[in-house]
Amino acid sequence: MDKLIYRFNNQGSQSSFNSKNILGGKGANLAQMAKLGLPVPPGFTISTKVCEDFYKNNKKISKKIFQQVKKEIKIIEKISKKKFGDLSNPLLVSVRSGSKVSMPGMMDTILNLGLNDKTVIALKNKTSNGRFAKDSYRRLIQMYSNVVLGIESYFFEELIDNYKLTKGVIQDTELEEDDWDGLINNFKEVVKEKTRKNFPQDVNEQLQGAISAVFSSWNSKRAKTYRRINSIPDHWGTAVNIQTMVFGNMGDDCATGVAFTRNPSTGKKEVFGEYLINAQGEDVVAGTRTPKNLLSMNKSMSKIFQQLKKIFNLLENKYKDMQDIEFTVENNQLWMLQTRSGKRTARAAIKIAVDMVQEKLISSKEAVLRVDPNILDTLLHPTLDEKAEKKIIASGLPASPGAASGKVTFSTDEAERLKEQQQNAILVRVETSPEDINGMHAASGILTARGGMTSHAAVIARGMGKPCVSGSSEIKIDYENKLFKSGNYVIKAGEIITIDGGSGKVMLGKVPTVKPDMSGDFSKIMTWADKYRKLKVRTNSETPADTKIAREFGAEGIGLCRTEHMFFDEKRIISVRQMILSKTLEDRKKALAKLLPYQRNDFIEIFKIMNGLPVTVRLLDPPLHEFLPKTDKDIEDIAKELNISNQNIKSRIIELHEQNPMLGHRGCRLGISFPEIYQMQCQAIFEALAECKKKKIKPVIPEIMIPLVSTASEIKILRSLVKKTAEEIKKIHSIKIKYYVGTMIELPRAALRAKDIAKYADFFSFGTNDLTQTTFGISRDDSGKFLNDYVENNIFYEDPFVSIDERGVGELIKIATERGRMQKKSLKLGICGEHGGDPASIEFCEKAKLNYVSCSPYRVPIARLAAAQAYLKKKK
Ligand code: ADP
Ligand code: MG
Ligand code: MG
């Protein structure tokens, strides 16, 4: 049979035993501290296995287990020379939760268990401290009632507050024994009224109730929610720790406190913490009294302070990480109650990791593993000055981090105009569409009233590294009068607001920001990461500005250059529309000829910046109707330009309408129907190469990518189109041209037929956005309506558009990788799309043996770090 109960300081058989899975984090660390010889009040841990049994057994603790618990209590009694429920020298215990990973404040703890009407008198006599005994008893009734009996704590707090008012005192410490006596009676009445039973006087009943309640708290609503947000599996369960009470509330030579071994906000190596004299347990964090800075303990209890500092060092040396510590002082004796890895800001995480390498506590590999890539995000964008005053007028979803201020504007044109005048704009839209791309580019930040974390605005803004607050339903936009309302505020176009895309807040006026600093410790961690990673990191980028940023962030190539984004420019869109509306091949070619020089210049610019690094260019992908005129004025403009009637254009728009554009006439299907479009794009790429050669720019080897392929025939035909175009340019310019042709794998059929497709492809790039949509048959634009229900019902563990679905989409990637490489050993494999910047998905890419990941510029550092971690974890 499995062992179910473990003593903290058992020097016998399990002295080397230390497993968080079984003991939970708190229990494992208490045992570890005891083993190190630190002063830990005696106790034991009921393992997480028992939690499992508890739920199988209809939420009951079996007799057998409770017998074992009682046996362990006997052992504590021997060590402490006290007795549980004894009428002269009673033992009191705490009953504490503790799961594998810490879930601060999510589960329950009960202190002072073992007190009742009789033992409280014994405690008073034994300690000659009536006030302390009664204070402890009332705390037990409060906690027990709340945790075990389910009575809201405010019933008790209200009684205390009212009593203090009538007595005219402010602090709990000003209440005396008699006062607590009265309150204890009132508390017991509340219990009687709410449960129709007396507060349990049998200490074993108390113990059993407390253990059950701690196990039950694993499935409390807040614990479940916390687990979902932090991706903690439901089946882990919690352990229960039962520990001899030590008292920080016995007088002025007693205290309780919490401490960090380094500053968790800056990472600086210094004592950081707070404590309270004559207090117990949660008093420090509960805010009932204002705690003191731990440094001042050097004066009030200097011996203890020195002892604590030594323990800090010892624990850091043992755990090789910054510790978050809880302690209590009872009559000038220090007791350690908890230690664990402390939570910290991104800045602190990096500083601590780098410092610890310098202190030779950890290796640089370990340092790379220590920093959560996701939190780097907060360091890469300007942030609001913490000290500045802020007037919040609305809030929405924190869609893309960073802070920005600017003039409110409701249109793309206006945003661009402001940009020309070197002014900052915040583009405010109900929601954004591809037509707003230029406005989004020109603006410093984006605010939308509708749309979620994966809405158009959110995805594009993250891609651009622009701050964005989306789905702020409080704001009501009035385009006609150029204003928006939020509560009582009316904000007109031209007024200045500030948005914080990290918190989702919208503020009035300009709130000052601070620029990110990426030198120093940050660059050290990144250098180490680069040393340890195998995956290359590229970027998704199509504008010179983004491409420059990505290179500064360390991108090693472009993994996805979406050519359609180059078409929305005001000067070009008219030719694009002309091209689409053309009925004859001849007309279409005329329009394409106008677009050619623009495209060529785009590529020259990008090749220049990439300076010889690989660039993957995706040929036109979206359905054509996305480029069509939407407003009457647009229609009129284009009608004039083309010298045809409005009606003509309107009917062409109707012709082009699709029921399901995601699955419609797009991707390589356009190239098959209108080869002249792809031909023009290839010509632009190759002419750009010729031009670069003339200008002595380091040659780029372009990787021409055909989207939405599902059959080998498609790529076979289009590959020969690319080749034909290349041959022509070679001849005209009499130069050599090196290039690759490959495809996106974004349809299940393409993954399955990868072996045939690889015959005609030099590389595959997994377009995981579309591949996820088509594998699940879920459209990303509509999934918002039910995704939450799916996560809630544990159908999806996570949004598959955020982290790759390894079991389904991942399997298709594995199949395509295997079959593709079977055909062509040298096949280059990468991933583009939002998943390319998601650490969990990057870990999968490393396992799947891809060559590179590609992500938006601002996620490049995150991907570099995540790729290093993925490789180091795989090797472990
Ligand atoms: P949490 O996980 O929410 O921090 P804990 O189990 O750590 O809950 O308990 C909260 C507080 O109760 C501790 O910080 C400590 O101050 C106090 N406490 C717990 N056990 C004891 C004990 N045996 N003696 C004295 N105080 C205790
Ligand atoms: Mg704690
Ligand atoms: Mg796609």
Side-chain angles (χ1 to χ4, degrees):
M1 203 190 76
D2 286 330
K3 194 172 156 59
L4 299 175
I5 297 188
Y6 297 83
R7 252 162 258 161
F8 291 167
N9 46 355
N10 193 320
Q11 289 103 357
S13 52
Q14 316 94 25
S15 58
S16 63
F17 181 86
N18 180 1
S19 163
K20 289 189 179 181
N21 295 352
I22 308 235
L23 301 178
K26 198 179 285 163
N29 290 341
L30 283 167
Q32 184 65 254
M33 283 199 289
K35 236 179 79 186
L36 290 170
L38 296 180
V40 176
F44 56 92
T45 304
I46 306 173
S47 86
T48 53
K49 284 252 160 51
V50 180
C51 187
E52 221 172 279
D53 289 347
F54 175 79
Y55 280 102
K56 275 191 204 140
N57 196 13
N58 222 352
K59 299 227 242 174
K60 275 200 196 74
I61 297 168
S62 73
K63 267 212 182 105
K64 216 171 64 204
I65 286 169
F66 199 65
Q67 285 309 325
Q68 284 190 52
V69 168
K70 289 213 298 216
K71 234 173 78 193
E72 290 300 322
I73 293 273
K74 285 263 169 322
I75 293 178
I76 303 187
E77 287 176 341
K78 253 194 216 140
I79 302 171
S80 65
K81 302 191 177 66
K82 296 177 183 172
K83 264 196 147 108
F84 195 49
D86 192 60
L87 297 187
S88 59
N89 191 9
L91 168 73
L92 306 191
V93 295
S94 63
V95 178
R96 318 171 65 185
S97 60
S99 62
K100 186 172 160 184
V101 296
S102 102
M103 296 167 49
M106 286 305 123
M107 285 179 305
D108 293 317
T109 290
I110 297 164
L111 305 182
N112 307 323
L113 201 114
L115 281 176
N116 58 26
D117 293 351
K118 289 188 180 136
T119 54
V120 73
I121 302 297
L123 185 66
K124 171 182 167 174
N125 294 338
K126 179 82 195 160
T127 58
S128 323
N129 189 341
R131 185 203 177 273
F132 150 71
K134 303 296 164 69
D135 178 44
S136 303
Y137 191 25
R138 68 92 189 175
R139 285 174 191 265
L140 170 67
I141 302 177
Q142 256 177 289
M143 284 182 145
Y144 192 92
S145 298
N146 180 240
V147 174
V148 184
L149 307 175
I151 304 172
E152 302 275 5
S153 38
Y154 65 75
F155 287 109
F156 304 103
E157 275 150 27
E158 207 170 65
L159 283 170
I160 300 180
D161 287 344
N162 287 341
Y163 186 81
K164 281 196 289 195
L165 266 179
T166 41
K167 200 183 169 193
V169 300
I170 295 169
Q171 303 283 4
D172 285 4
T173 41
E174 294 171 81
L175 297 181
E176 325 236 339
E177 178 180 0
D178 291 349
D179 302 321
W180 289 124
D181 263 338
L183 281 164
I184 286 170
N185 281 331
N186 296 342
F187 284 9
K188 288 202 281 195
E189 276 163 30
V190 172
V191 173
K192 183 87 198 244
E193 190 193 309
K194 299 279 163 202
T195 65
R196 304 193 178 282
K197 276 190 203 145
N198 288 320
F199 180 78
Q201 296 291 315
D202 176 349
V203 293
N204 280 316
E205 184 188 336
Q206 288 180 1
L207 186 58
Q208 200 150 6
I211 297 170
S212 298
V214 170
F215 281 144
S216 299
S217 69
W218 175 255
N219 270 343
S220 68
K221 213 171 157 196
R222 63 189 159 142
K224 278 183 170 168
T225 309
Y226 183 91
R227 285 204 292 277
R228 194 165 311 130
I229 294 168
N230 293 283
S231 308
I232 300 169
D234 285 332
H235 68 258
W236 280 1
T238 181
V240 177
N241 302 290
I242 297 184
Q243 187 174 28
T244 314
M245 280 301 298
V246 289
F247 300 102
N249 57 337
M250 274 168 84
D252 287 346
D253 56 353
C254 302
T256 183
V258 293
F260 288 82
T261 54
R262 303 187 186 217
N263 185 319
S265 164
T266 63
K268 211 170 148 203
K269 192 167 183 186
E270 63 190 5
V271 172
F272 183 96
E274 291 177 326
Y275 75 111
L276 273 173
I277 302 262
N278 196 9
Q280 189 178 48
E282 241 80 88
D283 291 355
V284 173
V285 276
T288 38
R289 281 163 63 191
T290 310
K292 291 191 200 164
N293 188 324
L294 192 57
L295 284 171
S296 74
M297 202 185 211
N298 202 7
K299 287 206 188 103
S300 59
M301 295 181 166
S302 91
K303 254 177 125 175
I304 303 273
F305 183 75
Q306 294 307 328
Q307 191 187 353
L308 263 176
K309 272 182 43 177
K310 270 196 200 123
I311 292 176
F312 288 179
N313 278 333
L314 187 84
L315 289 175
E316 276 209 350
N317 276 319
K318 175 73 203 170
Y319 289 101
K320 316 228 178 282
D321 197 8
M322 184 250 274
Q323 295 295 296
D324 167 357
I325 285 165
E326 296 174 358
F327 63 90
T328 281
V329 180
E330 176 183 316
N331 303 133
N332 277 323
Q333 151 132 40
L334 174 66
W335 292 99
M336 300 300 294
L337 291 173
Q338 191 171 317
T339 188
R340 65 175 171 221
S341 280
K343 297 238 183 298
R344 63 205 79 180
T345 63
R347 193 148 49 110
I350 288 174
K351 177 161 174 56
I352 291 170
V354 171
D355 284 355
M356 286 194 164
V357 173
Q358 265 145 20
E359 292 163 28
K360 301 207 159 46
L361 271 178
I362 58 175
S363 67
S364 56
K365 275 183 193 161
E366 196 53 47
V368 165
L369 285 166
R370 282 291 169 83
V371 180
D372 176 1
N374 283 309
I375 62 174
L376 286 188
D377 221 19
T378 58
L379 294 179
L380 304 176
H381 300 270
T383 50
L384 287 181
D385 187 348
E386 275 172 31
K387 284 168 251 152
E389 214 173 287
K390 305 170 184 86
K391 185 170 249 170
I392 294 165
I393 55 171
S395 58
L397 298 169
S400 177
S405 310
K407 286 187 172 170
V408 168
T409 150
F410 297 97
S411 77
T412 283
D413 290 352
E414 189 57 32
E416 291 191 288
R417 201 156 22 243
L418 285 170
K419 169 119 201 231
E420 270 163 33
Q421 300 164 7
Q422 322 236 315
Q423 297 195 50
N424 294 326
I426 302 290
L427 181 65
V428 182
R429 306 278 302 165
V430 175
E431 54 197 339
T432 63
S433 71
E435 266 182 288
D436 295 316
I437 296 268
N438 288 312
M440 293 173 78
H441 240 297
S444 314
I446 298 114
L447 168 63
T448 71
R450 268 210 302 253
M453 295 286 287
T454 56
S455 63
H456 179 267
V459 172
I460 299 297
R462 281 198 294 273
M464 292 177 176
K466 289 256 151 99
C468 172
V469 173
S470 71
S472 175
S473 49
E474 292 157 63
I475 69 166
K476 304 279 174 272
I477 299 175
D478 180 348
Y479 284 132
E480 207 162 317
N481 295 306
K482 293 198 176 170
L483 56 84
F484 76 82
K485 290 184 189 166
S486 176
N488 291 328
Y489 294 98
V490 179
I491 313 289
K492 296 203 191 88
E495 278 185 60
I496 291 183
I497 60 169
T498 300
I499 63 168
D500 178 9
S503 70
K505 296 279 183 285
V506 183
M507 288 142 282
L508 205 60
K510 183 177 163 70
V511 180
T513 56
V514 282
K515 251 195 140 179
D517 174 21
M518 281 177 304
S519 57
D521 293 337
F522 182 89
S523 91
K524 235 175 235 157
I525 284 276
M526 294 315 292
T527 313
W528 289 331
D530 290 344
K531 201 163 91 191
Y532 297 128
R533 74 184 151 88
K534 286 283 168 294
L535 277 170
K536 294 265 175 205
V537 176
R538 297 194 186 183
T539 189
N540 301 346
S541 165
E542 40 273 329
T543 67
D546 279 357
T547 309
K548 270 190 203 132
I549 292 173
R551 284 224 51 198
E552 278 167 24
F553 281 149
E556 297 163 299
I558 290 181
L560 177 63
C561 171
R562 309 175 188 89
T563 47
E564 59 271 15
H565 284 198
M566 299 165 164
F567 285 174
F568 281 105
D569 188 274
E570 209 178 336
K571 290 178 221 124
R572 314 173 183 192
I573 189 80
I574 195 107
S575 309
V576 175
R577 287 177 176 158
Q578 190 181 346
M579 185 258 294
I580 295 164
L581 294 165
S582 310
K583 281 211 166 139
T584 65
L585 175 64
E586 209 168 297
D587 284 351
R588 197 157 37 244
K589 278 192 168 165
K590 265 189 216 153
L592 284 166
K594 283 194 219 160
L595 284 170
L596 176 71
Y598 289 121
Q599 282 260 278
R600 190 171 50 219
N601 270 338
D602 292 334
F603 293 131
I604 293 172
E605 285 282 313
I606 287 175
F607 293 168
K608 223 195 272 173
I609 298 168
M610 292 315 285
N611 195 31
L613 294 173
V615 176
T616 308
V617 180
R618 180 176 73 185
L619 301 182
L620 196 66
D621 181 41
L624 295 182
H625 73 89
E626 274 193 19
F627 302 100
L628 287 175
K630 302 235 159 53
T631 64
D632 283 347
K633 186 178 171 296
D634 284 348
I635 292 177
E636 207 153 300
D637 285 355
I638 184 96
K640 247 187 232 152
E641 178 80 20
L642 300 183
N643 202 12
I644 46 177
S645 72
N646 286 5
Q647 202 42 52
N648 238 327
I649 293 190
K650 280 185 186 157
S651 60
R652 181 78 177 133
I653 291 175
I654 292 167
E655 259 172 58
L656 281 168
H657 173 80
E658 289 182 306
Q659 286 299 346
N660 213 332
M662 267 333 292
L663 303 175
H665 200 178
R666 53 169 288 217
C668 68
R669 297 159 198 174
L670 292 172
I672 298 288
S673 305
F674 313 113
E676 56 281 5
I677 299 180
Y678 278 14
Q679 193 278 333
M680 179 281 281
Q681 293 196 293
C682 292
Q683 187 179 341
I685 295 170
F686 296 134
E687 286 181 357
L689 284 180
E691 188 70 25
C692 286
K693 181 139 203 190
K694 256 192 235 154
K695 292 187 174 155
K696 299 226 169 359
I697 293 165
K698 202 167 171 192
V700 155
I701 302 179
E703 303 178 357
I704 296 169
M705 182 152 80
I706 318 280
L708 215 74
V709 161
S710 61
T711 67
S713 312
E714 287 163 324
I715 181 153
K716 184 179 174 196
I717 294 170
L718 294 170
R719 185 184 179 102
S720 66
L721 175 76
V722 178
K723 189 168 172 208
K724 197 169 141 238
T725 312
E727 294 304 324
E728 279 165 18
I729 308 292
K730 271 192 213 169
K731 237 186 240 151
I732 295 170
H733 295 269
S734 51
I735 51 163
K736 275 189 200 152
I737 295 178
K738 193 159 183 211
Y739 64 93
Y740 296 111
V741 180
T743 177
M744 290 191 87
I745 301 287
E746 49 189 337
L747 295 172
R749 193 182 192 284
L752 296 172
R753 303 308 303 169
K755 198 173 161 196
D756 309 341
I757 291 173
K759 252 191 229 165
Y760 309 100
D762 307 314
F763 65 89
F764 286 171
S765 175
F766 292 99
T768 47
N769 289 349
D770 272 323
L771 190 57
T772 301
Q773 294 202 90
T774 52
T775 300
F776 279 104
I778 288 177
S779 127
R780 181 166 54 162
D781 301 315
D782 299 318
S783 65
K785 294 195 183 97
F786 56 87
L787 225 123
N788 269 345
D789 302 334
Y790 268 56
V791 174
E792 201 109 325
N793 283 294
N794 291 323
I795 300 169
F796 285 166
Y797 202 53
E798 253 166 327
D799 180 347
F801 292 104
V802 174
S803 274
I804 221 158
D805 157 51
E806 284 196 30
R807 308 177 83 176
V809 176
E811 172 141 32
L812 282 170
I813 291 177
K814 280 189 192 144
I815 289 172
T817 302
E818 238 165 64
R819 295 184 186 172
R821 282 190 175 140
M822 214 185 280
Q823 177 70 256
K824 198 175 272 171
K825 246 187 144 176
S826 63
L827 191 71
K828 204 192 288 185
L829 296 164
I831 173 182
C832 56
E834 290 256 302
H835 292 107
D838 166 59
S841 310
I842 291 171
E843 198 176 332
F844 167 78
C845 293
E846 171 65 45
K847 281 189 286 188
K849 304 200 182 82
L850 303 193
N851 301 98
Y852 69 86
V853 297
S854 187
C855 56
S856 55
Y858 276 86
R859 293 202 77 86
V860 167
I862 295 167
R864 283 160 68 197
L865 182 58
Q869 293 187 352
Y871 180 72
L872 292 172
K873 277 188 207 160
K874 198 171 82 172
K875 276 190 59 184
K876 259 192 176 174

